[in-house]
Amino acid sequence: MATDKSQYLSDKVRNMSESATIKMAGMARAMKAEGKDVISLSLGEPDFDTPQHIKDAAKQALDDGYTKYTPVPGLIELREAIVTKFKRDNNLEFTTDEIVVSNGAKQSIANICLALLNPGDEVIIFAPYWVSYSEIVKFAGGTPVSLHADISADFKVSAKQLDQAINPKTKAILFSSPCNPTGSVYTKDELEELVDVIDKYDDLFIISDEIYEHINFTEAHASIGTFDKVKDQTITVNGMSKGFAMTGWRLGYMGAPKWIADACKKVQGQFTSGATAFGQKAAAHALSSDLRPTLEMKAAYLKRKTLVKSLLDDIPGIVANDPKGAFYFFADISYYFGKTDGVFTITDANSFCEIILQQAHVAAVTGSAFGDDNCFRISYASSEEVLTEALTRIKTCLAKFA
Ligand code: PMP
Ligand code: GLU
């Protein structure tokens, strides 16, 4: 008989939570395999295929023999393309030795945390936050400290809140803008207010996750690293997954002061080495090409956002903000807590998601995974038909709960 030997696992792994987004997507997949008609709005992944010209560049690279190890921080032509991209799109100045390409932005963030954190170091994470931040920080030995903003503040942390939260143990601040899960976007003025606080501390680092840069419905994307005062303290993370619909290619990158980039190179050199060679060639091509396919995807997301907002507003009790970027709604569902259909009771965001999965066959992710127990997250990176069907199912299901 198989016995449970999980006590032999490391404490680090036993204390790590499974990624809620990935878990929910797995549950939806399993239900689909059982023949159930499940709609998954759980995983944040573009439904679009990678643009053809990028695929062609990868095929060409294979034919050209890009099948070998690359330098750990990435092929020089990709790092050059990233330097140009940072300057062109973000007005950020880097040299190629300040760039490290990794297997997804997820690995970039892990590298940074492993490179910077000692036990006892605290990382202030703006909440609601992307699921993996807190687990990566913990795994790297640090302590995540969440700084929460609720829907009435459009889920954005203020400079005053930040000022009050910083203490001598604070080593870094980690946030995404556009934000996963809330879609909130920090304006340049709001970033400047944060910068004025951070500027008081030379030993505080900013990890700015800008992976949704291209899915931003405001006038312009602002990068916190452009402020001179904090330039030397900022690490800018980005990647190919979202803006170029390249999730499965596993390509992310960061720009950082050289001493941090060197440390990340060392970490990556021991863990995984350089990212896939032919993928890097394709990424270099993508970053240097016309952004039209990216802009077309963004236009489609905007249309879907408008649709989903009206569908959500049509469900009694659900409160949704107007996300300015990314492709998520993070809506307040606390109105339903304590409501029952006579058999099941919605007690919290977890049970809300379980009930809509079981009864409406729609997979979403509980807000508790993102540091907010009153909300749930849906990804609207799906077709308008699928989104309409999903939201109609949720509405019908919730109508039974009083
Ligand atoms: N940051 C945020 C905010 C994300 O939503 C994601 C998506 N998984 C990532 C980083 C990691 O992206 P990837 O590893 O696919 O580059
Ligand atoms: N970033 C996506 C999400 O939040 C992809 C899944 C993941 O890597 O967590 O759903």
Side-chain angles (χ1 to χ4, degrees):
M1 196 175 75
T3 50
D4 179 11
K5 295 194 173 167
S6 58
Q7 83 262 27
Y8 299 119
L9 294 170
S10 69
D11 292 345
K12 263 187 172 171
V13 165
R14 286 200 297 160
N15 291 333
M16 181 187 243
S17 323
E18 187 182 349
S19 162
T21 51
I22 290 175
K23 182 174 169 188
M24 206 59 188
M27 278 169 75
R29 248 180 239 133
M31 284 176 73
K32 269 189 204 162
E34 285 167 13
K36 293 188 178 128
D37 173 24
V38 173
I39 299 177
S40 181
L41 305 184
S42 53
L43 199 65
E45 165 158 77
D47 56 326
F48 299 106
D49 198 0
T50 304
Q52 190 59 43
H53 68 106
I54 304 175
K55 291 188 193 176
D56 290 342
K59 290 180 197 167
Q60 186 63 52
L62 275 171
D63 287 344
D64 291 345
Y66 282 87
T67 55
K68 303 264 192 281
Y69 288 134
T70 69
V72 171
L75 289 168
I76 187 66
E77 51 268 50
L78 175 54
R79 282 182 287 137
E80 277 166 0
I82 292 168
V83 165
T84 305
K85 173 258 168 307
F86 269 139
K87 181 70 195 152
R88 180 193 66 204
D89 300 342
N90 312 112
N91 199 26
L92 290 168
E93 308 263 0
F94 288 108
T95 55
T96 50
D97 55 5
E98 294 173 318
I99 305 293
V100 182
V101 177
S102 301
N103 294 300
K106 217 175 225 180
Q107 190 186 17
S108 306
I109 297 165
N111 284 343
I112 296 160
C113 291
L114 288 165
L116 281 182
L117 301 179
N118 279 317
D121 286 345
E122 294 184 357
V123 178
I124 293 179
I125 302 179
F126 292 1
Y129 48 75
W130 177 46
V131 282
S132 295
Y133 289 163
S134 50
E135 298 311 305
I136 292 174
V137 166
K138 278 195 279 171
F139 203 79
T143 306
V145 175
S146 73
L147 191 56
H148 193 266
D150 65 22
I151 196 163
S152 61
D154 196 22
F155 297 112
K156 286 193 269 188
V157 166
S158 68
K160 190 169 165 212
Q161 271 181 289
L162 180 62
D163 200 21
Q164 286 166 352
I166 294 172
N167 72 67
K169 291 190 185 150
T170 312
K171 182 78 174 268
I173 292 158
L174 170 54
F175 70 103
S176 60
S177 176
C179 175
N180 176 4
T182 63
S184 299
V185 171
Y186 284 82
T187 63
K188 194 155 193 202
D189 289 347
E190 287 163 343
L191 291 178
E192 187 162 22
E193 289 171 21
L194 298 176
V195 162
D196 286 339
V197 173
I198 297 162
D199 181 38
K200 293 190 262 174
Y201 310 90
D202 283 346
D203 53 354
L204 195 55
F205 299 92
I206 305 168
I207 308 168
S208 176
D209 180 350
E210 303 181 16
I211 195 160
Y212 292 95
E213 167 195 12
H214 289 302
I215 310 167
N216 182 339
F217 313 121
T218 68
E219 293 285 298
H221 170 76
S223 293
I224 194 162
T226 53
F227 292 95
D228 272 347
K229 289 177 184 173
V230 292
K231 184 175 180 290
D232 294 341
Q233 290 159 257
T234 304
I235 305 148
T236 305
V237 175
N238 209 321
M240 307 306 293
S241 286
K242 315 292 171 171
F244 297 89
M246 291 174 70
T247 46
W249 296 64
R250 311 309 304 126
L251 284 164
Y253 55 90
M254 54 173 260
K258 185 170 178 305
W259 63 274
I260 298 179
D262 283 344
C264 290
K265 249 187 266 178
K266 186 159 78 168
V267 172
Q268 185 164 301
Q270 293 291 21
F271 279 18
T272 59
S273 293
T276 313
F278 52 90
Q280 290 188 52
K281 283 295 276 186
H285 169 77
L287 291 174
S288 317
S289 304
D290 185 54
L291 284 179
R292 205 163 43 144
T294 296
L295 296 175
E296 282 168 6
M297 289 187 260
K298 176 174 130 176
Y301 292 131
L302 180 57
K303 259 183 92 195
R304 294 162 178 191
K305 182 190 83 151
T306 309
L307 171 72
V308 174
K309 174 82 169 97
S310 71
L311 292 168
L312 279 172
D313 286 347
D314 200 34
I315 303 178
I318 291 193
V319 183
N321 66 334
D322 178 25
K324 303 288 188 298
F327 39 59
Y328 306 103
F329 272 91
F330 197 65
D332 190 308
I333 43 151
S334 54
Y335 165 85
Y336 286 97
F337 298 171
K339 299 212 180 323
T340 177
D341 66 353
V343 182
F344 298 100
T345 302
I346 299 176
T347 52
D348 54 18
N350 296 349
S351 69
F352 179 95
C353 289
E354 264 162 46
I355 283 168
I356 63 167
L357 178 62
Q358 295 306 334
Q359 301 194 10
H361 288 177
V362 177
V365 188
T366 174
S368 58
F370 304 94
D372 191 324
D373 296 336
N374 287 329
C375 295
F376 85 134
R377 188 192 80 171
I378 50 174
S379 159
Y380 61 84
S382 287
S383 71
E384 291 178 39
E385 299 77 68
V386 168
L387 291 167
T388 306
E389 171 66 19
L391 272 295
T392 307
R393 286 189 196 180
I394 294 175
K395 183 177 177 184
T396 309
C397 168
L398 292 177
K400 293 181 284 167
F401 286 80

